[in-house]
Amino acid sequence: MKVVLLVGGVGGAKLAYGLANTLPAEDLTVIVNTGDDFWLHGLRVCPDLDTVIYTLSGLVDPVNGWGVAGDTTHALDALQRYGEDTWFRLGDQDIATHLLRTRWLHGGHTLTHVTEQLTRNLGIPQRILPMTDAQVSTMVDTVEYGELAFQTYFVKHRWQPTLRGLRFEGIERSDLSEAVRTAVEQADVLLIGPSNPWLSIDPILSVDGMRDLIKSRRIPRVALSPIVGGMAIKGPAAKLMAELGIPVTAAAVAEHYGDLINGYVLDRVDAGLSVPVARVANFETVMKTNDDKVILAQTMLEWIRSWM
Ligand code: FO1
């Protein structure tokens, strides 16, 4: 059963881990948001791609959920001595990833190709694909500072500014890579991870042709709610929804996805919610341990198989 999973960073990577430990490797493709990507110290940094890569290779820092476990910051300390901004904490081992990626991109390779090289070299058998090879930058319009680049909003200001709008710079020049198109065309199941629907999943869905391609597939298209009991499991999803005037409920997330999905997984605590989706299931969705991730992935796939 070929599964395509759409994700952002930490939360989505957890489900990717669960699926990677449930499905044969050739059956899983993870399509990752690249709206968070940016240039820093001359390097191309792709936080969500790296979070998925480090998670599936077992390198990830289990405390942060991003970066490499046990990494040091000697390079960053040296940059600080030169007076450079160091609010974005790049570890030394992580910098190796950005150096290689940047060199290969400057050599004319696509981000898809570069990501394939990185994953292969780290021994990851699953496919990890950037949502597009075009450069797309999520820009966050805030009440306090006006428009901020995504990582300035998210990391420098710790997502505290009040959000009043979003735009994906460069999205009009984006298109689907052959690899993404083929993966979605050949999928038996499409999953949307418990990532932030506005910040992480919308950039993927906004790539030219993506929404239509997904909707053209008569397969289970199932989202997992990132909102549990009216709160975000991690990050700014609940705060952002409130600021946009959207009720902070798992049902509102399903409404946001609309007819893109035909199945929806809610947490047990939200069992009573009325959700406008054809098929709805309630499972234990909060993934604290690796076992939780695998059990949730297995449970979701079993449920989906039962109505295929
Ligand atoms: N998140 C932080 O909150 N602070 C950091 O200093 C930080 C550094 C960082 C370095 C590499 C990387 O791949 C991710 C990093 N993240 C950091 C996480 C990341 O920027 C965000 O979690 C995502 O962009 C949101 O999905």
Side-chain angles (χ1 to χ4, degrees), residues 45-122:
V45 180
C46 303
D48 287 354
L49 275 172
D50 290 344
T51 295
V52 175
I53 289 173
Y54 295 150
T55 301
L56 293 194
S57 61
L59 287 172
V60 79
D61 179 331
V63 178
N64 288 329
W66 48 263
V68 175
D71 212 351
T72 48
T73 54
H74 300 302
L76 208 68
D77 297 341
L79 283 165
Q80 191 157 20
R81 279 202 295 272
Y82 286 115
E84 292 292 304
D85 268 346
T86 53
W87 50 262
F88 195 83
R89 309 297 296 163
L90 288 180
D92 296 323
Q93 296 180 53
D94 191 30
I95 286 175
T97 307
H98 312 314
L99 279 172
L100 269 183
R101 175 190 292 123
T102 307
R103 193 178 89 201
W104 288 336
L105 286 172
H106 285 331
H109 296 290
T110 62
L111 184 59
T112 300
H113 178 79
V114 169
T115 306
E116 199 180 334
Q117 292 301 315
L118 292 172
T119 52
R120 186 176 305 158
N121 293 348
L122 290 176

Coordinates of all heavy atoms in Angstrom, one line a residue, residues 45-122:
V45 N 19.3 26.6 4.5 CA 18.9 25.8 5.6 C 17.4 25.4 5.3 O 16.6 26.3 5.0 CB 19.0 26.7 6.9 CG1 18.5 25.9 8.1 CG2 20.4 27.2 7.1
C46 N 17.2 24.2 5.5 CA 15.8 23.6 5.2 C 15.3 22.9 6.5 O 15.4 21.6 6.5 CB 15.9 22.6 4.0 SG 16.5 23.4 2.5
P47 N 14.8 23.6 7.4 CA 14.6 23.0 8.8 C 13.6 21.8 8.7 O 13.9 20.8 9.4 CB 14.0 24.2 9.6 CG 14.5 25.4 8.9 CD 14.6 25.0 7.5
D48 N 12.5 21.9 8.0 CA 11.6 20.8 8.0 C 12.1 19.6 7.3 O 12.0 18.4 7.8 CB 10.2 21.2 7.4 CG 9.5 22.2 8.3 OD1 9.9 22.4 9.5 OD2 8.4 22.7 7.9
L49 N 12.8 19.8 6.2 CA 13.4 18.6 5.5 C 14.4 17.9 6.4 O 14.4 16.7 6.6 CB 14.1 19.1 4.2 CG 13.3 19.2 2.9 CD1 14.2 19.8 1.8 CD2 12.8 17.8 2.5
D50 N 15.2 18.8 7.1 CA 16.2 18.2 8.0 C 15.6 17.5 9.2 O 16.2 16.5 9.6 CB 17.2 19.3 8.4 CG 18.1 19.7 7.2 OD1 18.1 19.0 6.2 OD2 18.7 20.8 7.3
T51 N 14.5 18.0 9.7 CA 13.9 17.4 10.8 C 13.4 16.0 10.4 O 13.6 15.0 11.2 CB 12.7 18.3 11.3 OG1 13.2 19.5 11.8 CG2 11.9 17.6 12.4
V52 N 12.8 15.9 9.2 CA 12.4 14.6 8.8 C 13.6 13.6 8.5 O 13.6 12.5 8.9 CB 11.5 14.7 7.5 CG1 11.1 13.3 6.9 CG2 10.2 15.5 7.8
I53 N 14.6 14.2 7.9 CA 15.8 13.4 7.6 C 16.5 12.9 8.9 O 16.8 11.7 9.0 CB 16.9 14.2 6.8 CG1 16.3 14.5 5.3 CG2 18.2 13.6 6.7 CD1 17.2 15.4 4.5
Y54 N 16.7 13.8 9.8 CA 17.3 13.4 11.1 C 16.4 12.4 11.9 O 16.9 11.5 12.6 CB 17.6 14.6 12.0 CG 18.7 15.6 11.4 CD1 18.6 16.9 11.7 CD2 19.7 15.1 10.5 CE1 19.6 17.8 11.1 CE2 20.6 15.9 10.0 CZ 20.6 17.3 10.3 OH 21.5 18.2 9.8
T55 N 15.1 12.6 11.8 CA 14.2 11.7 12.5 C 14.3 10.3 11.9 O 14.4 9.3 12.6 CB 12.7 12.2 12.5 OG1 12.7 13.5 13.1 CG2 11.8 11.3 13.2
L56 N 14.2 10.2 10.6 CA 14.2 8.9 10.0 C 15.6 8.2 10.0 O 15.7 7.0 9.9 CB 13.7 8.9 8.5 CG 12.2 9.3 8.4 CD1 11.7 9.0 7.0 CD2 11.3 8.6 9.4
S57 N 16.7 9.0 10.1 CA 18.0 8.4 10.2 C 18.4 8.1 11.6 O 19.5 7.5 11.9 CB 19.0 9.3 9.6 OG 19.1 10.5 10.3
G58 N 17.6 8.5 12.6 CA 17.9 8.2 14.0 C 18.9 9.2 14.6 O 19.3 9.1 15.7
L59 N 19.2 10.3 13.9 CA 20.2 11.3 14.3 C 19.5 12.4 15.2 O 20.2 13.1 15.9 CB 20.9 12.0 13.1 CG 21.9 11.2 12.4 CD1 22.3 11.9 11.1 CD2 23.1 10.9 13.2
V60 N 18.2 12.5 15.1 CA 17.5 13.7 15.7 C 17.8 13.9 17.2 O 17.8 12.9 17.9 CB 16.0 13.7 15.3 CG1 15.3 12.7 16.2 CG2 15.4 15.1 15.4
D61 N 17.8 15.1 17.6 CA 17.9 15.5 19.0 C 16.5 15.2 19.6 O 15.5 15.8 19.2 CB 18.2 17.0 19.2 CG 18.3 17.4 20.6 OD1 17.5 16.8 21.4 OD2 19.0 18.3 20.9
P62 N 16.4 14.2 20.5 CA 15.1 13.8 21.0 C 14.4 14.9 21.9 O 13.2 14.9 22.0 CB 15.3 12.5 21.8 CG 16.8 12.6 22.2 CD 17.5 13.4 21.1
V63 N 15.2 15.8 22.4 CA 14.6 16.8 23.3 C 13.9 17.9 22.4 O 12.7 18.2 22.6 CB 15.6 17.4 24.2 CG1 15.0 18.5 25.1 CG2 16.2 16.3 25.1
N64 N 14.7 18.5 21.5 CA 14.1 19.6 20.7 C 13.2 19.0 19.6 O 12.3 19.7 19.2 CB 15.3 20.3 20.0 CG 16.0 21.2 20.9 OD1 15.4 21.7 21.9 ND2 17.3 21.4 20.7
G65 N 13.5 17.8 19.1 CA 12.8 17.3 17.9 C 13.4 17.8 16.6 O 12.9 17.3 15.5
W66 N 14.3 18.7 16.6 CA 15.1 19.1 15.4 C 16.5 19.1 15.8 O 16.9 19.1 16.9 CB 14.6 20.5 15.0 CG 14.5 21.5 16.1 CD1 13.4 21.9 16.8 CD2 15.6 22.3 16.6 NE1 13.7 22.9 17.7 CE2 15.0 23.2 17.7 CE3 16.9 22.4 16.4 CZ2 15.8 24.0 18.4 CZ3 17.7 23.3 17.1 CH2 17.1 24.1 18.1
G67 N 17.4 19.2 14.7 CA 18.8 19.2 14.9 C 19.3 17.8 15.3 O 18.6 16.9 15.4
V68 N 20.6 17.8 15.4 CA 21.3 16.5 15.7 C 21.6 16.3 17.2 O 22.1 17.2 17.8 CB 22.6 16.4 14.9 CG1 23.4 15.1 15.2 CG2 22.4 16.5 13.4
A69 N 21.3 15.1 17.7 CA 21.5 14.8 19.1 C 22.9 15.0 19.4 O 23.8 14.5 18.7 CB 21.1 13.3 19.4
G70 N 23.2 15.6 20.6 CA 24.5 15.8 21.1 C 25.4 16.8 20.3 O 26.6 16.8 20.5
D71 N 24.8 17.5 19.4 CA 25.6 18.5 18.6 C 26.2 19.6 19.4 O 25.6 19.9 20.5 CB 24.7 19.1 17.5 CG 25.4 19.4 16.2 OD1 26.7 19.2 16.2 OD2 24.8 19.7 15.2
T72 N 27.3 20.1 18.9 CA 28.0 21.2 19.6 C 27.7 22.5 18.8 O 27.2 22.4 17.7 CB 29.5 20.9 19.7 OG1 29.9 20.5 18.4 CG2 29.8 19.9 20.7
T73 N 28.1 23.7 19.3 CA 27.9 24.9 18.6 C 29.2 25.7 18.5 O 29.1 27.0 18.6 CB 26.8 25.7 19.3 OG1 27.1 25.9 20.6 CG2 25.4 25.1 19.2
H74 N 30.3 25.1 18.2 CA 31.6 25.8 18.1 C 31.6 26.8 17.0 O 32.0 27.9 17.1 CB 32.7 24.8 18.0 CG 32.9 23.9 19.1 ND1 33.0 24.3 20.4 CD2 32.8 22.5 19.2 CE1 33.1 23.3 21.2 NE2 33.0 22.2 20.5
A75 N 31.0 26.4 15.8 CA 31.0 27.3 14.7 C 30.2 28.5 15.0 O 30.5 29.7 14.7 CB 30.5 26.6 13.4
L76 N 29.0 28.3 15.6 CA 28.1 29.4 16.0 C 28.8 30.4 17.0 O 28.7 31.6 16.8 CB 26.8 28.8 16.6 CG 25.6 29.6 16.4 CD1 25.1 29.6 15.0 CD2 24.4 29.1 17.3
D77 N 29.5 29.8 17.9 CA 30.2 30.6 18.9 C 31.3 31.5 18.2 O 31.4 32.7 18.5 CB 30.9 29.8 20.0 CG 29.9 29.0 20.8 OD1 28.7 29.3 20.8 OD2 30.3 27.9 21.4
A78 N 31.9 30.9 17.2 CA 32.9 31.7 16.5 C 32.2 32.8 15.6 O 32.8 33.9 15.5 CB 33.7 30.7 15.5
L79 N 31.1 32.5 15.1 CA 30.3 33.5 14.3 C 30.0 34.6 15.2 O 30.0 35.8 14.8 CB 29.1 32.9 13.7 CG 29.3 32.0 12.4 CD1 28.1 31.2 12.1 CD2 29.7 32.9 11.2
Q80 N 29.6 34.3 16.5 CA 29.2 35.3 17.4 C 30.4 36.3 17.7 O 30.2 37.5 17.8 CB 28.7 34.7 18.7 CG 28.0 35.6 19.7 CD 27.1 34.9 20.6 OE1 27.2 33.7 20.9 NE2 26.2 35.6 21.2
R81 N 31.6 35.7 17.8 CA 32.8 36.5 18.0 C 33.0 37.6 16.9 O 33.5 38.6 17.1 CB 34.0 35.7 18.1 CG 34.2 35.0 19.5 CD 35.7 34.6 19.6 NE 36.1 33.6 18.7 CZ 36.0 32.3 18.9 NH1 35.5 31.8 20.1 NH2 36.4 31.4 18.0
Y82 N 32.5 37.2 15.7 CA 32.6 38.1 14.6 C 31.4 39.1 14.5 O 31.3 39.9 13.6 CB 32.6 37.3 13.2 CG 33.9 36.7 13.0 CD1 34.0 35.3 12.9 CD2 35.1 37.4 12.8 CE1 35.2 34.6 12.7 CE2 36.3 36.8 12.5 CZ 36.4 35.4 12.5 OH 37.6 34.8 12.2
G83 N 30.5 39.0 15.5 CA 29.4 39.9 15.6 C 28.2 39.5 14.8 O 27.3 40.3 14.6
E84 N 28.2 38.2 14.4 CA 27.0 37.7 13.6 C 25.8 37.4 14.5 O 26.0 37.1 15.7 CB 27.4 36.5 12.8 CG 28.4 36.7 11.7 CD 27.9 37.5 10.6 OE1 26.8 37.1 10.0 OE2 28.5 38.6 10.2
D85 N 24.6 37.5 14.0 CA 23.4 37.1 14.7 C 23.5 35.6 14.9 O 23.7 34.9 13.9 CB 22.2 37.4 13.8 CG 21.6 38.8 14.1 OD1 22.0 39.3 15.2 OD2 20.8 39.2 13.3
T86 N 23.2 35.1 16.1 CA 23.2 33.7 16.3 C 21.9 33.2 17.0 O 21.9 32.2 17.7 CB 24.4 33.3 17.2 OG1 24.4 34.1 18.3 CG2 25.7 33.5 16.4
W87 N 20.8 33.9 16.8 CA 19.6 33.5 17.4 C 19.0 32.2 16.8 O 18.3 31.4 17.5 CB 18.5 34.6 17.4 CG 18.2 35.2 16.1 CD1 18.8 36.4 15.6 CD2 17.4 34.7 15.0 NE1 18.3 36.7 14.4 CE2 17.5 35.7 13.9 CE3 16.6 33.6 14.8 CZ2 16.8 35.5 12.7 CZ3 16.0 33.4 13.6 CH2 16.1 34.4 12.6
F88 N 19.4 31.9 15.6 CA 19.1 30.6 15.0 C 20.2 29.6 15.3 O 21.3 29.8 14.8 CB 18.8 30.7 13.5 CG 18.0 29.6 12.9 CD1 16.7 29.5 13.0 CD2 18.7 28.5 12.3 CE1 16.0 28.4 12.5 CE2 18.1 27.4 11.8 CZ 16.7 27.4 11.9
R89 N 20.0 28.7 16.1 CA 21.0 27.8 16.7 C 21.4 26.7 15.8 O 20.7 25.6 15.7 CB 20.6 27.2 18.1 CG 20.1 28.3 19.1 CD 21.1 29.3 19.5 NE 22.2 28.7 20.2 CZ 23.4 29.3 20.4 NH1 23.6 30.5 19.8 NH2 24.3 28.8 21.0
L90 N 22.4 26.9 15.0 CA 22.9 25.9 14.1 C 24.0 25.1 14.7 O 25.0 25.6 15.2 CB 23.5 26.5 12.8 CG 22.5 27.1 11.8 CD1 23.3 27.7 10.6 CD2 21.5 26.1 11.3
G91 N 23.8 23.8 14.9 CA 24.8 22.9 15.4 C 25.9 22.6 14.4 O 25.7 22.8 13.2
D92 N 27.1 22.2 14.9 CA 28.2 21.9 14.1 C 27.9 20.8 13.1 O 28.3 20.9 11.9 CB 29.4 21.6 14.9 CG 29.9 22.8 15.8 OD1 29.8 23.9 15.3 OD2 30.3 22.5 16.9
Q93 N 27.4 19.7 13.5 CA 27.1 18.6 12.6 C 26.0 19.0 11.6 O 26.0 18.6 10.5 CB 26.6 17.4 13.4 CG 27.7 16.8 14.3 CD 27.2 15.6 15.0 OE1 26.7 14.6 14.4 NE2 27.4 15.6 16.3
D94 N 25.0 19.8 12.1 CA 23.9 20.3 11.3 C 24.5 21.1 10.1 O 24.1 21.0 9.0 CB 22.9 21.1 12.1 CG 21.7 21.4 11.4 OD1 21.3 20.6 10.5 OD2 21.1 22.4 11.7
I95 N 25.5 21.9 10.5 CA 26.1 22.8 9.5 C 26.7 22.0 8.3 O 26.7 22.4 7.2 CB 27.2 23.7 10.1 CG1 26.5 24.8 10.9 CG2 28.1 24.3 9.1 CD1 27.4 25.8 11.7
A96 N 27.2 20.8 8.6 CA 27.7 19.9 7.5 C 26.6 19.6 6.5 O 26.9 19.7 5.3 CB 28.2 18.6 8.1
T97 N 25.4 19.4 7.0 CA 24.3 19.2 6.1 C 24.1 20.4 5.2 O 23.9 20.3 4.0 CB 23.0 18.9 6.9 OG1 23.3 17.8 7.8 CG2 21.8 18.5 6.0
H98 N 24.1 21.6 5.8 CA 23.8 22.8 5.0 C 24.9 23.1 4.1 O 24.7 23.6 3.0 CB 23.6 24.0 6.0 CG 22.6 23.7 7.1 ND1 21.4 23.1 6.9 CD2 22.7 23.9 8.4 CE1 20.8 22.9 8.1 NE2 21.6 23.4 9.0
L99 N 26.2 22.8 4.5 CA 27.3 23.1 3.6 C 27.2 22.2 2.3 O 27.3 22.7 1.2 CB 28.6 22.7 4.3 CG 29.2 23.7 5.2 CD1 30.4 23.0 6.0 CD2 29.7 24.9 4.5
L100 N 26.9 20.9 2.5 CA 26.8 20.0 1.4 C 25.6 20.4 0.5 O 25.7 20.5 -0.7 CB 26.6 18.6 1.8 CG 27.8 17.7 2.1 CD1 27.4 16.3 2.5 CD2 28.6 17.7 0.8
R101 N 24.5 20.7 1.1 CA 23.3 21.1 0.4 C 23.6 22.3 -0.5 O 23.2 22.3 -1.7 CB 22.1 21.3 1.3 CG 20.9 21.8 0.6 CD 19.8 22.3 1.6 NE 19.3 21.2 2.3 CZ 19.2 21.1 3.6 NH1 19.8 22.1 4.4 NH2 18.7 20.1 4.3
T102 N 24.2 23.3 0.2 CA 24.5 24.6 -0.5 C 25.4 24.3 -1.7 O 25.2 24.9 -2.8 CB 25.0 25.6 0.5 OG1 24.1 25.7 1.6 CG2 25.2 27.0 -0.2
R103 N 26.4 23.5 -1.5 CA 27.4 23.3 -2.5 C 26.7 22.6 -3.7 O 26.9 23.0 -4.9 CB 28.5 22.4 -2.0 CG 29.7 22.3 -2.9 CD 30.8 21.5 -2.3 NE 30.7 20.1 -2.7 CZ 31.2 19.0 -2.0 NH1 31.9 19.3 -0.9 NH2 31.1 17.8 -2.4
W104 N 25.9 21.6 -3.4 CA 25.2 20.9 -4.5 C 24.2 21.8 -5.2 O 24.0 21.7 -6.4 CB 24.6 19.6 -3.9 CG 25.5 18.5 -3.5 CD1 26.8 18.4 -4.0 CD2 25.4 17.5 -2.6 NE1 27.4 17.3 -3.4 CE2 26.6 16.7 -2.5 CE3 24.3 17.1 -1.7 CZ2 26.7 15.6 -1.7 CZ3 24.5 16.0 -0.9 CH2 25.7 15.3 -0.9
L105 N 23.5 22.6 -4.4 CA 22.6 23.5 -5.1 C 23.3 24.5 -6.0 O 22.9 24.7 -7.1 CB 21.7 24.3 -4.0 CG 20.7 23.5 -3.3 CD1 20.1 24.4 -2.2 CD2 19.5 23.1 -4.2
H106 N 24.4 25.0 -5.5 CA 25.2 26.0 -6.3 C 25.8 25.2 -7.5 O 26.1 25.8 -8.6 CB 26.4 26.6 -5.5 CG 25.9 27.6 -4.5 ND1 24.8 28.4 -4.8 CD2 26.4 28.1 -3.3 CE1 24.7 29.3 -3.8 NE2 25.6 29.1 -2.9
G107 N 26.0 23.9 -7.4 CA 26.4 23.1 -8.6 C 25.3 22.9 -9.6 O 25.6 22.2 -10.6
G108 N 24.2 23.4 -9.3 CA 23.1 23.3 -10.3 C 22.1 22.2 -10.1 O 21.2 21.9 -10.9
H109 N 22.2 21.4 -9.0 CA 21.3 20.3 -8.7 C 20.0 20.9 -8.1 O 20.0 21.9 -7.4 CB 21.9 19.3 -7.8 CG 23.1 18.6 -8.4 ND1 23.0 17.7 -9.4 CD2 24.5 18.7 -8.1 CE1 24.2 17.3 -9.8 NE2 25.1 17.9 -9.0
T110 N 18.9 20.2 -8.3 CA 17.7 20.6 -7.7 C 17.7 20.2 -6.2 O 18.4 19.3 -5.8 CB 16.5 19.8 -8.3 OG1 16.7 18.4 -8.1 CG2 16.4 20.1 -9.8
L111 N 16.8 20.8 -5.4 CA 16.6 20.5 -4.0 C 16.2 19.0 -3.9 O 16.5 18.3 -3.0 CB 15.7 21.4 -3.3 CG 15.5 21.2 -1.8 CD1 16.8 21.4 -1.1 CD2 14.5 22.2 -1.2
T112 N 15.3 18.5 -4.8 CA 14.9 17.1 -4.8 C 16.1 16.2 -4.9 O 16.2 15.2 -4.2 CB 13.9 16.9 -6.0 OG1 12.8 17.7 -5.8 CG2 13.5 15.4 -6.0
H113 N 17.0 16.5 -5.9 CA 18.2 15.7 -6.0 C 19.1 15.7 -4.8 O 19.6 14.7 -4.3 CB 18.9 16.1 -7.3 CG 20.2 15.4 -7.6 ND1 20.2 14.1 -8.1 CD2 21.5 15.6 -7.3 CE1 21.4 13.6 -8.2 NE2 22.2 14.6 -7.7
V114 N 19.3 16.9 -4.3 CA 20.2 17.1 -3.1 C 19.6 16.3 -2.0 O 20.4 15.7 -1.2 CB 20.3 18.6 -2.8 CG1 20.9 18.8 -1.5 CG2 21.0 19.4 -3.9
T115 N 18.3 16.4 -1.8 CA 17.7 15.7 -0.6 C 17.8 14.2 -0.8 O 18.1 13.5 0.2 CB 16.2 16.1 -0.5 OG1 16.1 17.6 -0.5 CG2 15.5 15.6 0.7
E116 N 17.7 13.7 -2.0 CA 17.9 12.3 -2.3 C 19.3 11.9 -1.9 O 19.5 10.8 -1.3 CB 17.6 12.1 -3.8 CG 17.3 10.6 -4.1 CD 17.0 10.5 -5.6 OE1 16.6 11.5 -6.3 OE2 17.3 9.4 -6.1
Q117 N 20.3 12.7 -2.3 CA 21.7 12.4 -2.0 C 21.9 12.3 -0.5 O 22.5 11.4 0.1 CB 22.6 13.4 -2.5 CG 22.7 13.5 -4.1 CD 23.2 12.1 -4.6 OE1 24.1 11.5 -4.2 NE2 22.5 11.6 -5.6
L118 N 21.4 13.3 0.2 CA 21.5 13.4 1.7 C 20.9 12.2 2.4 O 21.5 11.5 3.2 CB 20.9 14.7 2.3 CG 21.6 16.0 1.9 CD1 20.8 17.2 2.4 CD2 23.0 16.1 2.5
T119 N 19.7 11.8 1.9 CA 19.0 10.7 2.6 C 19.7 9.4 2.3 O 19.9 8.5 3.1 CB 17.5 10.6 2.1 OG1 17.5 10.6 0.7 CG2 16.7 11.7 2.7
R120 N 20.1 9.2 1.0 CA 20.8 8.0 0.6 C 22.1 7.8 1.4 O 22.4 6.8 2.0 CB 21.1 8.0 -0.9 CG 21.7 6.7 -1.3 CD 21.9 6.7 -2.8 NE 20.7 7.0 -3.6 CZ 20.7 7.4 -4.8 NH1 21.9 7.6 -5.5 NH2 19.6 7.7 -5.5
N121 N 22.9 8.9 1.6 CA 24.1 8.9 2.3 C 23.9 8.5 3.8 O 24.8 8.0 4.4 CB 24.9 10.2 2.2 CG 25.4 10.4 0.8 OD1 25.3 9.5 -0.1 ND2 25.8 11.6 0.5
L122 N 22.7 8.9 4.3 CA 22.4 8.6 5.7 C 21.7 7.3 5.9 O 21.3 6.9 7.0 CB 21.6 9.7 6.3 CG 22.3 11.1 6.5 CD1 21.4 12.1 7.1 CD2 23.5 10.9 7.5

